[in-house]
Amino acid sequence: KIGIIKSGQIRAKNEDVDSLILESIDQDIDKDTIVATQDLHLKKELLRRGHNVIILRQKKYVEMVR
């Protein structure tokens, strides 16, 4: 199953996007979910919480980090 959260589907007041992603993934998504991000702090926090992360390497390679 593949799902994409589109821009505008998450609404919050005075919260940063990273917090919204972390809250959403912890509440609504199982541990098999993979998040794609280039944000270093978000990547580290997702990995710390046990989620898989997809990152872009050298602008042309996709890598999954566990």
Side-chain angles (χ1 to χ4, degrees):
K1 178 180 173 185
I2 297 175
I4 297 174
I5 298 174
K6 295 181 181 179
S7 176
Q9 286 184 324
I10 298 176
R11 302 202 188 280
K13 297 177 184 174
N14 300 324
E15 285 193 61
D16 65 301
V17 176
D18 291 357
S19 296
L20 293 172
I21 291 170
L22 292 168
E23 180 182 315
S24 177
I25 197 168
D26 284 341
Q27 291 178 0
D28 303 329
I29 304 174
D30 60 42
K31 292 290 184 187
D32 293 332
T33 299
I34 302 168
V35 178
T37 184
Q38 286 293 98
D39 185 277
L40 179 64
H41 299 291
L42 178 58
K43 179 182 90 169
K44 286 181 179 181
E45 185 61 26
L46 287 164
L47 291 171
R48 187 185 73 75
R49 294 180 184 201
H51 299 289
N52 296 320
V53 179
I54 291 178
I55 57 172
L56 188 64
R57 293 271 185 206
Q58 300 173 2
K59 298 183 181 181
K60 58 183 176 180
Y61 300 106
V62 176
E63 179 180 340
M64 185 165 72
V65 183
R66 295 178 184 220

